[in-house]
Amino acid sequence: MDIDPQVLQKKLYFLVEQLQNMASELPPKYQMRLSYELLSSLANCLLNETVLEIVKGLLEIQHVTEQHLFQQRLQFINSKKIEEQDLLKEHENNSDKKIEALQKFMIQQKEELKEFDMKLVLELDKKVADQQNILEQAGVPGFYYTTNPIEIKVQMHLLDFLLRLSQMQMPE
C-alpha cells in the first residue's frame, strides 16, 4: 500500500513545525545546537514508525534498569543497617567501644556507599552509551556516542521531543 506523497508531505511539515516549536522552548545554549537541518532530518526519520517504537522500547528498558538499580541501592543500605544493629549488639555492654566501633563503621559505610553509587552511575553511563549506539545505528539524526554532558543533554531533549511527538495525533 503506497502512501499518498501529499499526505507524507503534510506529516513532514507538521513534524518539522512541532520540532521547531519544542526546540524554541529550550534554553539558548541547546537551541543553537538544534539546526533546522537536524530538525528536518529528524522529522523525515519519524515518518518511519519504527524509530518511535525503538525509542519507546529504549525508554522501557531504561525505566526497568533504573528501578533495578534503585532496588539494589535500597538492599545495600538495608544490609548496612543490619550490620550496624549487629555491631551495636556486639558492644552493648561497653559504651566506649560501642562509640568507637560505630564511628569507624559510619566512616567505612559512607565510603562503601560512595563506591556503590559510583558503580551504579557507571551502569547508567553504559546504558546511555548503549542507547546512543542503538539510535545511531537506527539512523536517528542527532544521536551518536558521546560523553560530552552538553551533547548528552541535547540528545535527552531530542528523546523528549520524540516521545512527545509519539503521543500526538498526526495529520491525515
Side-chain angles (χ1 to χ4, degrees):
M1 176 179 128
D2 286 330
I3 298 175
D4 182 355
Q6 287 182 325
V7 171
L8 275 180
Q9 192 68 34
K10 201 174 185 181
K11 283 183 180 182
L12 186 61
Y13 287 147
F14 173 79
L15 290 168
V16 170
E17 182 183 353
Q18 294 304 315
L19 286 168
Q20 285 180 307
N21 290 341
M22 291 175 193
S24 71
E25 297 166 0
L26 297 179
K29 73 177 180 178
Y30 300 119
Q31 278 185 33
M32 61 188 242
R33 294 176 181 273
L34 299 173
S35 66
Y36 177 79
E37 182 183 342
L38 173 62
L39 296 177
S40 295
S41 298
L42 193 57
N44 202 37
C45 181
L46 291 175
L47 292 175
N48 177 352
E49 296 286 320
T50 309
V51 170
L52 292 177
E53 294 306 314
I54 291 170
V55 169
K56 288 177 187 174
L58 289 174
L59 186 65
E60 280 181 37
I61 291 168
Q62 181 176 335
H63 286 316
V64 168
T65 301
E66 288 171 356
Q67 202 74 49
H68 177 69
L69 295 176
F70 180 69
Q71 290 301 321
Q72 281 183 334
R73 188 172 195 277
L74 287 179
Q75 287 173 347
F76 180 81
I77 290 170
N78 283 334
S79 73
K80 291 298 163 188
K81 284 181 181 174
I82 291 168
E83 281 181 44
E84 183 180 351
Q85 293 304 316
D86 292 346
L87 185 72
L88 291 172
K89 283 179 190 168
E90 191 180 312
H91 298 290
E92 68 185 337
N93 297 330
N94 187 337
S95 63
D96 288 342
K97 281 210 186 263
K98 186 194 296 189
I99 291 170
E100 184 182 325
L102 197 54
Q103 285 174 334
K104 282 183 184 177
F105 179 79
M106 296 304 244
I107 291 168
Q108 180 185 349
Q109 181 181 355
K110 188 176 180 182
E111 197 56 42
E112 287 177 12
L113 184 59
K114 187 176 170 184
E115 285 177 27
F116 190 82
D117 285 345
M118 288 302 292
K119 209 170 77 179
L120 296 182
V121 167
L122 289 174
E123 282 191 51
L124 288 173
D125 286 348
K126 184 182 177 322
K127 192 59 61 185
V128 168
D130 290 346
Q131 289 177 343
Q132 290 170 334
N133 289 327
I134 288 168
L135 291 168
E136 181 179 26
Q137 288 172 1
V140 182
F143 290 91
Y144 50 89
Y145 175 74
T146 181
T147 56
N148 177 323
I150 291 180
E151 293 298 320
I152 289 173
K153 189 72 174 162
V154 168
Q155 291 179 353
M156 288 169 67
H157 285 301
L158 290 175
L159 276 174
D160 175 57
F161 294 173
L162 294 174
L163 290 169
R164 287 164 51 192
L165 284 171
S166 74
Q167 295 164 356
M168 286 185 184
Q169 187 65 42
M170 294 286 171
E172 294 299 319

